[in-house]
Amino acid sequence: MNNNEIIPQYEISRQNYTPEEKILLGEIRENLVDLAMSTGENLQIDDGKLLNDIRNFLFLRFQEEGQNINVSKQYLDHLSQKFLRDINGYGEIDPLIQDDDLEEIMVIGTNKPIFVYHRKYGMMKTNIQFNDEQEIRELIDSIARQINRRIDQETPILDGRLRDGSRVNATIPPVSADGPSLTIRKFKRDPLTIIDLINSKTLSVELSAFLWLCIDGLGVKSANAIISGGTSSGKTTTLNALSAFINPKERIITIEDTLELQIPHEHVIRMETRPANVENKGELTMNDLVKNSLRQRPDRIIVGEVRADEAITLFTALNTGHSGFGTLHSNDARETITRLTNSPMSVPKIMIQAIDFIIMQNRIYTPSGVSFRRVSEVAEVVGMEEGTVQLNKIFQWNPERDTIENIGITSQTLLQIANLSGYSINDLYNEIDNRKLVLRHMLNHNIRSVNEVNGMLELYYTHPEKVLNKIILDR
């Protein structure tokens, strides 16, 4: 890793093949494609079986050419493993896929370096590139087969997810005039939790404890929220982390174009949209799935990204007693309302009051090219006045101090929870303080994995006094 350039260099050891080995790899690929076409199905081949088949194929080919005497067992095993990584993995970019420190992998054409976005160092260029357009096409075609999609002249855009959940987008001419492109947005194998987000200062302990109480709602009034922000601002990550605050008793249904959410609960149904097939049939839109979810007795509906007519269906559900979350592309809370109430979403303003909070998240760039993410604003929807949706800003990020500060008066959502639960506002503030203690305890003891955080939250839901007593004794 070389950091002495304007764009730091990301060095990996390349997987080189001799001309003869490239021919053999091409033959194996052709055999797999022929098999896929003859069955008409996407081949999900077991790695162990595929490795054995590759080894047998190579042994027979070397035998046919009279080379098997000169080929060692070690070379045969090594070459079989390399071919397996290329065929069932991702070839040249496989080491990048395996690196959990990378957020994005970007192939922008031939004879150009592959770029990556590193979680610590920002944008970097690698020491690998594709010199032949056909190599990129083969990689894209291989990914398309794995995810049971197609990419060709009729459908020159591929959008889907890899087996590890990473998002993939590929384009070919005529969409991308300079040749094929490939972008992969990776997700950490060990998802970030609310403790990670507090550690990285995306949220504060105070804001997290406040949202925990409001999302849980003490079982009487679960808050609804829209998480808004720009592309790659961390909306999905924050939604994932906040979903841990949903009471484990609830039934959750998630709806997405591409499955990204990793809700850390047992009772979750995940639904994914589907594009039309080659006969222009079988499409399942976001709106279709939101409508269907209402027939499945959901306690909580989570829509991965609200964009079009599914918004009205979602808000109709929120106005009839369901609870939900969603994400949306927007620059501030007021713009979020504007986007929701205008085409193509066209949610009637009177329905907007079903939202309790708009949580704004931004990606902040530094001169070095490294970025960080912050919840920049939490605004509460407090009603309508002369046809305008009224917002009450209760938390705001202070860029000078790099802190998230409570700047609002008493939250209307807290008042509603107090009225419905029989607790006083002071009782609720005391409860928020208790939840701060739990979050700080996890921070101080590095309790941060999904299972650890869930275990602590579930224990607090069932035995709050036991948890608090243990925390006080540990101090």
Side-chain angles (χ1 to χ4, degrees):
M1 199 171 288
N2 184 356
N3 295 315
N4 296 322
E5 303 178 30
I6 294 177
I7 301 178
Q9 186 85 0
Y10 181 101
E11 301 276 349
I12 64 170
S13 55
R14 301 192 61 178
Q15 186 152 285
N16 294 317
Y17 292 116
T18 66
E20 294 78 14
E21 289 171 347
K22 282 187 176 180
I23 292 171
L24 289 170
L25 179 59
E27 288 179 12
I28 293 172
R29 276 211 179 99
E30 283 176 18
N31 287 340
L32 286 171
V33 171
D34 290 343
L35 183 57
M37 290 178 68
S38 67
T39 60
E41 295 180 358
N42 175 39
L43 287 178
Q44 298 293 335
I45 302 174
D46 174 74
D47 279 3
K49 181 181 183 306
L50 182 56
L51 179 63
N52 192 52
D53 288 346
I54 291 170
R55 195 180 186 285
N56 290 338
F57 174 86
L58 292 174
F59 181 81
L60 291 172
R61 286 290 278 108
F62 289 140
Q63 191 174 50
E64 287 171 9
E65 296 172 9
Q67 297 182 38
N68 58 315
I69 297 172
N70 300 320
V71 173
S72 69
K73 180 180 181 301
Q74 288 77 11
Y75 173 72
L76 193 61
D77 290 342
H78 178 65
L79 188 59
S80 300
Q81 288 283 358
K82 283 174 67 176
F83 281 4
L84 176 68
R85 286 195 297 271
D86 230 316
I87 293 166
N88 226 22
Y90 303 96
E92 287 272 25
I93 68 168
D94 200 64
L96 306 177
I97 296 283
Q98 302 307 322
D99 188 345
D100 212 28
D101 288 327
L102 298 183
E103 284 187 9
E104 210 105 20
I105 301 166
M106 295 154 275
V107 179
I108 60 173
T110 56
N111 301 312
K112 297 174 183 176
I114 295 172
F115 286 81
V116 294
Y117 194 91
H118 196 282
R119 298 185 194 279
K120 181 178 179 182
Y121 301 106
M123 187 68 73
M124 306 182 76
K125 61 182 177 182
T126 71
N127 61 323
I128 57 174
Q129 64 182 33
F130 289 101
N131 299 318
D132 182 356
E133 189 172 300
Q134 187 57 33
E135 290 182 74
I136 307 177
R137 283 298 304 269
E138 285 177 358
L139 174 60
I140 292 172
D141 288 340
S142 173
I143 290 172
R145 285 196 302 272
Q146 286 181 17
I147 63 177
N148 208 17
R149 299 281 176 90
R150 58 179 287 184
I151 181 167
D152 51 30
Q153 291 293 318
E154 290 183 10
T155 53
I157 297 176
L158 172 71
D159 198 31
R161 60 183 169 86
L162 304 182
R163 289 170 295 189
D164 66 356
S166 298
R167 289 187 64 171
V168 59
N169 180 276
T171 62
I172 60 173
V175 169
S176 46
D178 296 329
S181 75
L182 177 65
T183 307
I184 297 172
R185 178 178 294 178
K186 295 173 75 278
F187 295 99
K188 287 179 71 69
R189 296 183 185 91
D190 178 17
L192 296 175
T193 62
I194 194 69
I195 301 304
D196 295 314
L197 296 191
I198 294 171
N199 261 323
S200 64
K201 301 177 76 173
T202 299
L203 296 93
S204 65
V205 169
E206 182 182 10
L207 175 55
S208 300
F210 170 80
L211 290 175
W212 180 5
L213 179 63
C214 293
I215 290 169
D216 166 34
L218 297 183
V220 296
K221 203 279 180 205
S222 302
N224 301 320
I226 295 287
I227 302 176
S228 290
T231 301
S232 196
S233 59
K235 300 183 296 295
T236 302
T237 300
T238 296
L239 177 54
N240 259 326
L242 292 178
S243 69
F245 293 151
I246 298 173
N247 195 298
K249 295 177 182 177
E250 293 190 25
R251 173 178 170 87
I252 304 166
I253 297 180
T254 69
I255 299 159
E256 302 174 85
D257 274 333
T258 302
L259 292 178
E260 295 180 85
L261 294 169
Q262 300 166 290
I263 307 299
H265 282 63
E266 187 175 15
H267 198 163
V268 179
I269 296 176
R270 304 170 76 205
M271 295 198 288
E272 185 177 32
T273 61
R274 185 178 69 191
N277 60 21
V278 291
E279 298 171 347
N280 205 30
K281 295 179 180 178
E283 181 182 19
L284 288 172
T285 67
M286 191 80 83
N287 197 31
D288 294 331
L289 297 181
V290 174
K291 287 179 179 177
N292 185 70
S293 73
L294 299 178
R295 304 185 186 105
Q296 296 178 283
R297 200 193 175 281
D299 292 310
R300 191 89 55 155
I301 302 169
I302 301 179
V303 179
E305 186 178 333
V306 183
R307 278 197 304 257
D309 53 357
E310 70 273 1
I312 293 180
T313 307
L314 175 63
F315 274 81
T316 301
L318 299 184
N319 276 274
T320 53
H322 293 87
S323 296
F325 291 141
T327 68
L328 187 144
H329 280 87
S330 169
N331 295 310
D332 58 45
R334 180 55 60 186
E335 185 184 315
T336 299
I337 300 295
T338 302
R339 288 209 61 205
L340 285 168
T341 54
N342 285 279
S343 181
M345 294 186 236
S346 304
V347 177
K349 287 184 179 179
I350 194 68
M351 283 189 172
I352 297 295
Q353 296 176 83
I355 304 176
D356 296 294
F357 300 110
I358 296 173
I359 301 169
M360 293 303 310
Q361 182 149 328
N362 285 349
R363 186 172 188 171
I364 315 296
Y365 289 90
T366 64
S368 67
V370 178
S371 62
F372 56 89
R373 291 154 172 109
R374 294 290 182 269
V375 168
S376 56
E377 174 187 354
V378 177
E380 190 171 36
V381 178
V382 293
M384 290 271 293
E385 190 174 305
E386 297 180 356
T388 302
V389 177
Q390 299 299 303
L391 297 174
N392 172 32
K393 194 180 292 186
I394 51 179
F395 285 87
Q396 185 167 17
W397 177 58
N398 183 325
E400 292 181 5
R401 298 191 182 95
D402 193 16
T403 55
I404 300 168
E405 299 171 355
N406 188 336
I407 63 168
I409 55 175
T410 301
S411 159
Q412 181 172 288
T413 303
L414 286 184
L415 289 171
Q416 291 173 341
I417 293 172
N419 290 336
L420 292 170
S421 66
Y423 290 108
S424 69
I425 281 291
N426 284 337
D427 291 334
L428 297 189
Y429 284 138
N430 288 335
E431 178 60 22
I432 289 173
D433 286 339
N434 288 340
R435 297 186 183 205
K436 285 184 197 174
L437 284 175
V438 176
L439 293 170
R440 286 201 179 97
H441 174 78
M442 288 192 279
L443 278 169
N444 295 336
H445 290 79
N446 197 31
I447 299 171
R448 55 136 313 269
S449 73
V450 170
N451 290 337
E452 289 174 326
V453 171
N454 277 7
M456 180 64 76
L457 296 181
E458 287 183 14
L459 188 60
Y460 185 80
Y461 278 126
T462 53
H463 301 94
E465 291 183 4
K466 181 178 178 181
V467 172
L468 292 171
N469 288 337
K470 184 178 186 306
I471 289 172
I472 292 168
L473 287 172
D474 287 347
R475 291 173 72 181

